[in-house]
Amino acid sequence: QQQVKQSPQSLIVQKGGIPIINCAYENTAFDYFPWYQQFPGKGPALLIAIRPDVSEKKEGRFTISFNKSAKQFSLHIMDSQPGDSATYFCAASTETSGSRLTFGEGTQLTVNP
Amino acid sequence: DSGVTQTPKHLITATGQRVTLRCSPRSGDLSVYWYQQSLDQGLQFLIQYYNGEERAKGNILERFSAQQFPDLHSELNLSSLELGDSALYFCASSVTWASGLGEQFFGPGTRLTVL
């Protein structure tokens, strides 16, 4: 019940395309859903996050869509650039567990020029 | 640069040995988290400390232990090392322990190789 399932495992798009990464969860106690971006040799860095009381959040070219009833959320990257090539992780946490992050399996995104 | 420092960057050791990984959180952050990243298990939460006290525990092996010192730096001790312990170990810090109220900032990680 603590798992977060992420898909696809890898994704290749052309520059300017809109990659979409999906995540699903079971634990309805999750109350914070961040997305992290990780470049090779670096630690994950927070990209954008959402709480379950909103259905969408945009920050620059990144948008999270959240469907509470379906227990799913997704990341959209508008006008993707080669510099966006990285591994993306969705995650979830709940205050009762001390805000430990439960991560999805990760999606390796490649944006071709 | 997240402001979280981890040492050493790389560690190569043999099975059965014991190692200590060190983490210094961002200035002002009271909460420290340890995560393990491996190819087969992904990013897994190990343990969390808040202001010196253990706050949450994940799937941390009994051979592993951690502590947070009065100056808020943290150490993760791994003993009786096995080949399967080879992984990237990340430390993260946040201002608070409350979900969604404090972004977790990750350090650059320590790559542990057990031969």
Side-chain angles (χ1 to χ4, degrees), chain A residues 6-19:
Chain A
Q6 182 173 347
S7 63
Q9 188 174 8
S10 63
L11 190 52
I12 301 173
V13 300
Q14 291 299 118
K15 178 183 173 182
I18 306 175

Side-chain angles (χ1 to χ4, degrees), chain A residues 7 15 21 23 27 35-36 39 53 55 64 66 68-69 82 84 86 89-90 92-94 96-97 102 105-106 109-110:
Chain A
S7 63
K15 178 183 173 182
I21 305 170
C23 285
N27 186 355
W35 284 88
Y36 278 79
F39 292 104
D53 52 349
S55 60
I64 299 179
F66 187 83
K68 188 174 180 178
S69 60
D84 296 330
F89 293 93
C90 63
S93 71
T94 169
T96 56
S97 66
T102 298
E105 298 89 343
L109 172 66
T110 302

